[in-house]
Amino acid sequence: MLSLFAYYKFHKLISSYINYETSYLWLVMMCVSPLIQYWQFNLFSETFFVAMSLLFAYVSLFDYIKYRALKISLIGLVVIFARPSGIFTVICILLFKLYQDKRFTKKQMLWLCSSTFFLLFIGIMFFFQLPYHDFSKYISNGSIYYGFPSWSSPELAPGNYTV
């Protein structure tokens, strides 16, 4: 139900920014595509993240919403903590909103976005430690997708890995 509600709200956002034909096409594809429906019923955490991201985009970019600042704050926090990529989702939408409100010029926005994403990229790529314990060990060894084999030793040696 959350996904359907998010699809409808995002449909309203697309129809206000682009046109009705594009928004209806998007809505139909999201509701009847076999791959999307398979994803809906098998990957709940990803489905939750996509639905919350769509709602965040709607609340952030659609005008005339009551208690907009409160909704942006609350949904933004949920999106950030739903998935690590939620940080990028929130930053991109908020930077677009700042540009749309004419608070920054194109050149300032380019420099701000480039420097922000470059610093995040370097930080994540070289300093963020990937866990190698609990279920992460099984994911890195392919066990989640191919069952849970009883290996005597893991394929990757235990250690501190970065991306």
Side-chain angles (χ1 to χ4, degrees), residues 84-133:
S85 57
I87 295 169
F88 293 109
T89 304
V90 170
I91 289 173
C92 288
I93 290 173
L94 291 180
L95 287 175
F96 175 75
K97 188 64 179 165
L98 288 173
Y99 173 72
Q100 185 184 30
D101 291 343
K102 307 260 189 252
R103 295 188 184 172
F104 292 107
T105 64
K106 281 186 180 181
K107 190 173 183 178
Q108 289 172 329
M109 189 57 69
L110 179 65
W111 279 105
L112 179 65
C113 291
S114 298
S115 59
T116 301
F117 288 121
F118 180 73
L119 290 173
L120 283 172
F121 176 77
I122 294 298
I124 290 171
M125 198 71 168
F126 296 109
F127 300 110
F128 185 73
Q129 295 287 322
L130 296 175
Y132 194 76
H133 54 79

Side-chain angles (χ1 to χ4, degrees), residues 1-11 26-27 30-31 36-37 39-41 43-55:
M1 293 305 293
L2 178 65
S3 292
L4 290 175
F5 180 69
Y7 292 167
Y8 173 71
K9 292 296 185 178
F10 198 71
H11 156 72
W26 179 84
L27 186 62
M30 290 301 282
C31 290
I36 298 292
Q37 293 309 314
W39 182 32
Q40 284 286 338
F41 290 110
L43 299 171
F44 177 73
S45 63
E46 292 295 328
T47 303
F48 177 75
F49 171 69
V50 169
M52 294 308 293
S53 297
L54 293 175
L55 286 174

Side-chain angles (χ1 to χ4, degrees), residues 3 13 19 24 33 39 52 64 80 93 116 124 142 145 154:
S3 292
L13 180 68
N19 59 30
Y24 285 123
S33 170
W39 182 32
M52 294 308 293
Y64 314 112
I80 287 173
I93 290 173
T116 301
I124 290 171
Y145 300 107

